[in-house]
Amino acid sequence: AQSVTQLGSHVSVSEGALVLLRCNYSSSVPPYLFWYVQYPNQGLQLLLKYTSAATLVKGINGFEAEFKKSETSFHLTKPSAHMSDAAEYFCAVSDASGTYKYIFGTGTRLKVLA
Amino acid sequence: NAGVTQTPKFRILKIGQSMTLQCTQDMNHNYMYWYRQDPGMGLKLIYYSVGAGITDKGEVPNGYNVSRSTTEDFPLRLELAAPSQTSVYFCASSPGPGQPSESNQPQHFGDGTRLSIL
């Protein structure tokens, strides 16, 4: 069965500092991986997705993630945090059975300190 | 292009009442999903549908029912509301088979319905 683990339910960084949000997955088949962002009282917005075309994936708002098969990881990074990045971030793996169901991680709330 | 639209945005119910959460999408997507989001738990799949007339249970289906009579609409029904169903509910859709890059196209989410049961 597929699963997703997000390490750290809360992460705080200073404005301008590196953002690193961790995601590890388990999957018996090549996974399809996604990062979503959720701002307060809003739905989930796609940040980026892993398509197997490239291990380094660039997304919106300056975020990127690197797929590392050997580590079963898909960590999200941004070189310089901005106050507007404060939100909750979810990693998800797509079900490979053909129904495209997602398995979500429990989320990481990012706080950006001035 | 509205995407995925959910109504209502907020609702308070009394224990034992029933209600229907509405979800409609205008992207002609085949696949639709209902999730609930609880603090610290991420999103859990309640029900999903791979096309009109076809629905199936997700991870946490108890206490809920769905129907899919059209491609656009996927309502979620709570028959006997219980406090444990207090949550934020999200509807999502994705293109499904036959679309380009079908296996990795992302799900599109609505803005959610905040439901409190007292």
Side-chain angles (χ1 to χ4, degrees), chain A residues 32 34 36 38 40-46 49-52 88 90 94-95 98-107, chain B residues 31 33 35 37 40-43 45 48 50 57-58 90 94 96-97 102-112 114:
Chain A
Y32 302 102
F34 308 85
Y36 281 83
Q38 184 182 32
N41 300 316
Q42 294 187 24
L44 277 70
Q45 178 183 358
L46 181 70
K49 60 183 181 182
Y50 170 66
T51 65
S52 76
E88 189 155 22
F90 292 93
S94 178
D95 187 294
T99 58
Y100 311 113
K101 295 180 290 183
Y102 279 7
I103 305 297
F104 278 93
T106 52
Chain B
Y31 286 15
Y33 314 83
Y35 296 90
Q37 182 182 26
M41 302 294 289
L43 282 78
L45 183 65
Y48 66 100
V50 300
K57 296 178 180 179
F90 288 100
S94 65
E102 64 184 30
S103 294
N104 52 41
Q105 285 185 316
Q107 293 180 15
H108 301 254
F109 285 80
D111 288 338
R114 293 183 176 275

Side-chain angles (χ1 to χ4, degrees), chain A residues 2-76:
Chain A
Q2 294 175 313
S3 66
V4 172
T5 301
Q6 289 185 243
L7 295 175
S9 58
H10 292 81
V11 170
S12 294
V13 300
S14 299
E15 190 174 20
L18 171 72
V19 176
L20 170 61
L21 304 182
R22 299 178 186 274
C23 174
N24 289 87
Y25 69 91
S26 68
S27 177
S28 58
V29 297
Y32 302 102
L33 295 159
F34 308 85
W35 275 101
Y36 281 83
V37 60
Q38 184 182 32
Y39 300 103
N41 300 316
Q42 294 187 24
L44 277 70
Q45 178 183 358
L46 181 70
L47 270 180
L48 49 81
K49 60 183 181 182
Y50 170 66
T51 65
S52 76
T55 56
L56 183 61
V57 181
K58 294 188 182 298
I60 63 172
N61 300 339
F63 284 92
E64 62 183 34
E66 186 172 7
F67 174 71
K68 291 186 177 181
K69 185 177 180 180
S70 61
E71 298 177 7
T72 61
S73 68
F74 190 56
H75 301 331
L76 182 70

